[in-house]
Amino acid sequence: MTVGAARLTPEQVGSLGEDAFMERFGSLYEHSPWVAEGAWARRPYDGASGLRAAFETTVREAPTERRLALIRAHPELAGREAREGVLTAESAGEQASAGLDRLTAGELTELAEVNAAYRERFGFPMVVAVREHTKESIFRQARERLANSREQEIDTAVGEILKIGRLRLGELVSENEGERT
C-alpha cells in the first residue's frame, strides 16, 4: 500500500494491471499479499463496495490456518515491533492515532501483561482496529476479550482485521459507487 498516495476512483482501480494492483494493494492486509491476490482474481468489481467485498470474501473464505497466519502477521499493540521501530507505516500511524505511542510506563507495563496473557491464552496477538478506539477503550476491550473462547477470538480478530482493511482501503479508493471496475 502506498502511504500518502492519491485516492483512485473505482474505475481507475479496474484499469490497473495485476502488477500495479499488487503494488497499490499488496500490503493492505498486514504482511499478507495473498489477500490482494485473491481480490485481484475476483474482478470485475461493482464499484468501491464490490472491491471491498472482494478483499473481505478472500479473507472469510480462506482456510482456518491461513486466517490464523493473517492474525499472527499483526503486531502486538505497543509491543516489540513498536519499541524497535519496525511497524509497517500503516500500523505505526494507526497505533499513534489511539495514543499507543505515548503510553506511560505504567500503561506500557499493563499492556505488555495483557498482550502476554492474550498470546498465551489464544496463540496469536490481540488485533484491534485501533482507529476506532481510544487507549482507554483498547485496555478495556483487552481485559474483556481475555474471557472469550479461542473460537470467539478468531472470529473477533478476523472482524477487526476486516475493519482495518476497510479503513485502509478507504484511504486508497474513493466511494464512487455504481462503476464497474
Side-chain angles (χ1 to χ4, degrees), residues 54-145:
F55 281 100
E56 293 181 10
T57 301
T58 298
V59 172
R60 283 192 186 102
E61 290 181 355
T64 301
E65 282 307 312
R66 192 147 219 203
R67 283 184 281 126
L68 283 170
L70 175 61
I71 296 168
R72 289 183 184 116
H74 282 75
E76 287 187 342
L77 301 174
R80 178 190 54 78
E81 295 97 334
R83 288 189 307 276
E84 294 175 0
V86 296
L87 290 173
T88 63
E90 297 86 2
S91 286
E94 290 159 357
Q95 289 199 24
S97 76
L100 297 182
D101 61 336
R102 299 176 302 280
L103 298 175
T104 66
E107 290 169 333
L108 277 170
T109 299
E110 181 182 353
L111 192 52
E113 289 170 358
V114 170
N115 279 338
Y118 187 95
R119 188 175 287 278
E120 173 71 23
R121 177 158 167 67
F122 300 114
F124 48 81
M126 182 178 65
V127 179
V128 177
V130 296
R131 284 197 270 173
E132 296 183 337
H133 292 276
T134 63
K135 68 180 178 180
E136 293 79 16
S137 68
I138 291 168
F139 277 79
R140 183 175 51 255
Q141 187 176 107
R143 289 186 292 272
E144 291 170 358
R145 286 173 57 183

Side-chain angles (χ1 to χ4, degrees), residues 13 24 28 49 65 75 84 109-110 115 125 136 149 156 163 166 170 181:
V13 173
R24 183 78 173 190
L28 192 67
S49 63
E65 282 307 312
E84 294 175 0
T109 299
E110 181 182 353
N115 279 338
E136 293 79 16
S149 71
T156 299
K163 288 180 197 176
R166 270 182 234 126
T181 58

Side-chain angles (χ1 to χ4, degrees), residues 162-176:
L162 295 178
K163 288 180 197 176
I164 293 165
R166 270 182 234 126
L167 291 166
R168 290 178 178 180
L169 188 62
E171 292 175 347
L172 297 175
V173 179
S174 68
E175 286 292 323
N176 222 353

Side-chain angles (χ1 to χ4, degrees), residues 7-16 42-54 173-181:
R7 289 172 60 189
L8 299 177
T9 66
E11 183 177 63
Q12 289 169 319
V13 173
S15 69
L16 294 176
R42 295 174 188 281
R43 293 171 300 116
Y45 314 113
D46 187 14
S49 63
L51 176 63
R52 191 170 38 254
V173 179
S174 68
E175 286 292 323
N176 222 353
E177 292 291 345
E179 298 177 40
R180 298 285 302 173
T181 58

